[in-house]
């Protein structure tokens, strides 16, 4: 379990949004972040329409690794709301510790403990030169508090090991393989997905399911506006539909194929196999769904 000083936890807003406070209130009441999000979505009339089969892994206690797209920034909220509607609270997300998703979940209070599994990029290491990239603002804020490259790698390694332990225990772990707010169809995938899978023993690869998912494109501002209206007890007349597509799914063994034992594949090769499966399933949709 990570300690509080291993990763970086900046709050990405100067004033906490009201819908975040409402999430904390609901999560405290029901002792579950997914169930609290489901309650918010139901009041705000945000409807998650599922295309595909969720019967195998939506029930509590089924080990599942959800791998999906993060191009619209707020996919985690409807995903967790859907899981909350199925009764799953044993959920986790591998994310940058200073990301918006991580901050919103942690703001839910005690019910959110252990949900965020932080993995941070090497560009934040204090013994690396400061370069121009999307993580530069966070690197500048850290200043002398930034971890060294070795310490950061070790913290990330412990997080991946923890994620594997949770999967073996029957929990659900969500991972956005690109590690950024971008299209999983167009952008490269990071090898962390393969490293996590290689943590599993052969017998565990039969029990752990991998599920590929993707939301149809939606406007994050409309979603946030609905949640903000709910926090002011304003009930909309019309529903806001969101579509969640479930792609290929199966045990780790089934998804990666028995002809190439996982132990003989590198983390990069495992990640690339799953990336190609993702493209094969979702790449056929019209370009308007991707950006």
């Amino acid at each position: 379990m990570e300690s509080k000083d291993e990763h970086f936890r900046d709050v990405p807003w100067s004033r906490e949004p009201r819908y975040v406070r409402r999430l904390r209130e609901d999560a405290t009441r029901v002792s579950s972040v997914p169930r609290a999000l489901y309650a918010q979505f139901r009041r705000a009339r945000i409807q998650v329409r599922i295309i595909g089969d969720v019967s195998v892994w939506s029930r509590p206690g089924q080990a599942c690794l959800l791998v999906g797209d993060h191009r619209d920034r707020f996919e985690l909220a409807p995903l967790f709301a859907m899981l909350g509607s199925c009764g799953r609270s044993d959920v986790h997300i591998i994310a940058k510790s200073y990301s918006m998703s991580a901050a919103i979940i942690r703001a839910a209070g005690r019910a959110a403990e252990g949900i965020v599994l932080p993995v941070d990029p090497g560009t934040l290491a204090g013994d690396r030169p400061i370069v121009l990239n999307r993580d530069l603002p966070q690197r500048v804020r850290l200043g002398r508090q930034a971890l060294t490259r070795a310490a950061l790698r070790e913290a990330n390694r412990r997080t991946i090991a923890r994620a594997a332990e949770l999967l073996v225990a029957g929990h659900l772990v969500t991972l956005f393989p690109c590690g950024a707010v971008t299209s999983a169809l167009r952008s490269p995938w990071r090898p962390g997905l393969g490293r996590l899978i290689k943590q599993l023993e052969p017998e565990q690869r039969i029990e752990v399911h991998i599920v590929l998912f993707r939301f149809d494109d939606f406007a994050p501002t409309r979603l946030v506006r609905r949640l903000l209206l709910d926090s002011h007890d304003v009930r909309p007349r019309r529903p806001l539909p969101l579509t969640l597509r479930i792609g290929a799914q199966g045990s780790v063994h089934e998804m990666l194929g028995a002809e190439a034992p996982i132990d003989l594949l590198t983390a990069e090769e495992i990640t690339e196999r799953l990336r190609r499966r993702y493209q094969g399933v979702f790449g056929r949709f019209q370009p308007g769904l991707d950006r």
Side-chain angles (χ1 to χ4, degrees):
M1 189 72 68
E2 75 276 6
S3 62
K4 290 186 178 180
D5 59 348
E6 281 184 325
H7 289 271
F8 321 110
R9 298 190 173 188
D10 278 4
V11 177
W13 51 71
S14 57
R15 182 178 180 183
E16 185 179 70
R18 187 169 181 139
Y19 66 85
V20 174
R21 295 201 298 272
R22 176 59 67 89
L23 173 62
R24 181 164 56 249
E25 294 168 0
D26 286 342
T28 300
R29 176 174 52 83
V30 300
S31 300
S32 167
V33 172
R35 289 173 56 197
L37 280 166
Y38 173 56
Q40 283 187 303
F41 273 51
R42 185 173 53 187
R43 290 193 305 262
R45 300 197 68 190
I46 305 171
Q47 299 176 351
V48 181
R49 182 174 68 112
I50 303 171
I51 298 178
D53 183 19
V54 302
S55 61
V56 174
W57 52 269
S58 60
R59 65 181 186 271
Q62 171 59 56
C64 179
L65 177 60
L66 285 176
V67 181
D69 197 281
H70 193 33
R71 71 193 185 285
D72 286 320
R73 191 177 181 87
F74 281 96
E75 289 87 356
L76 192 64
L79 181 67
F80 272 21
M82 181 274 293
L83 293 169
S85 72
C86 298
R88 289 213 77 155
S89 294
D90 55 342
V91 300
H92 309 271
I93 172 69
I94 296 176
K96 292 178 181 177
S97 60
Y98 53 93
S99 67
M100 178 69 75
S101 295
I104 291 175
I105 290 175
R106 283 197 298 266
R110 293 186 62 183
E113 290 180 3
I115 290 182
V116 177
L117 305 175
V119 171
D120 290 311
T123 50
L124 297 186
D127 53 354
R128 290 185 58 167
I130 295 179
V131 296
L132 182 62
N133 56 42
R134 60 176 171 260
D135 298 312
L136 178 59
Q138 176 65 10
R139 175 65 181 86
V140 172
R141 283 194 294 268
L142 287 171
R144 295 182 178 181
Q145 295 180 348
L147 300 178
T148 65
R149 281 178 283 190
L152 190 56
R153 282 195 300 268
E154 178 59 20
N156 289 340
R157 185 197 65 77
R158 284 195 292 268
T159 291
I160 295 300
R162 176 59 178 161
E165 291 175 357
L166 290 166
L167 285 172
V168 172
H171 291 229
L172 182 146
V173 175
T174 304
L175 184 148
F176 299 127
C178 297
V181 180
T182 186
S183 169
L185 286 176
R186 297 182 177 180
S187 300
W189 288 23
R190 296 181 180 273
L193 173 59
R195 290 172 186 153
L196 172 55
I197 291 172
K198 285 183 72 68
Q199 293 275 324
L200 303 173
E201 299 294 334
E203 62 274 11
Q204 295 166 348
R205 298 166 192 161
I206 299 174
E207 301 297 328
V208 175
H209 271 61
I210 299 176
V211 178
L212 307 182
F213 74 91
R214 191 173 194 262
F215 279 93
D216 283 4
D217 209 3
F218 63 86
T221 52
R222 294 186 66 192
L223 174 61
V224 172
R225 183 174 181 272
R226 282 295 181 101
L227 295 176
L228 186 60
L229 289 173
D230 169 67
S231 69
H232 288 275
D233 296 318
V234 177
R235 301 293 174 255
R237 294 181 179 179
R238 296 180 180 179
L240 173 62
L242 302 177
T243 299
L244 170 61
R245 298 181 185 271
I246 305 300
Q249 58 180 294
S251 69
V252 174
H253 180 78
E254 292 168 337
M255 289 290 284
L256 290 170
E259 73 280 359
I262 294 173
D263 291 335
L264 301 181
L265 299 174
T266 65
E268 289 78 9
E269 289 170 336
I270 291 172
T271 301
E272 177 61 18
R273 286 189 175 218
L274 291 174
R275 187 188 70 84
R276 289 179 179 177
R277 293 207 68 170
Y278 195 93
Q279 286 186 322
V281 173
F282 298 115
R284 66 177 182 269
F285 295 117
Q286 57 187 355
L289 291 177
D290 188 33
R291 67 184 186 199

